[in-house]
Amino acid sequence: MVTLSVRSVSDQVALAEIELCGELMIAASAAIGERLSADRIDEVLNVRVITERTTVPRQG
């Protein structure tokens, strides 16, 4: 008998990690050269790097 359970949060996290690894493998197999650049990895993983720093004015 097979018991079906409700997906837990850890299952969802694991599935998301598996999907990201798959995306990286696809990008790596399509890449020219031996390695993916850090910029290409960020692009595949949909990571945005914020370079501007926001300053908050001091209240005096």
Side-chain angles (χ1 to χ4, degrees):
M1 178 181 210
V2 176
T3 304
L4 299 177
S5 63
V6 177
R7 285 187 181 172
S8 68
V9 172
S10 61
D11 290 343
Q12 292 171 352
V13 171
L15 290 172
E17 289 177 356
I18 291 167
E19 184 177 347
L20 291 173
C21 287
E23 294 294 328
L24 283 172
M25 285 190 266
I26 291 167
S29 68
I32 298 172
E34 292 185 19
R35 298 176 184 241
L36 292 175
S37 68
D39 290 337
R40 180 66 180 131
I41 292 170
D42 288 346
E43 181 183 336
V44 169
L45 297 178
N46 198 22
V47 174
R48 285 186 267 165
V49 179
I50 300 172
T51 57
E52 294 181 19
R53 296 183 74 187
T54 308
T55 57
V56 177
R58 292 186 176 193
Q59 295 178 352

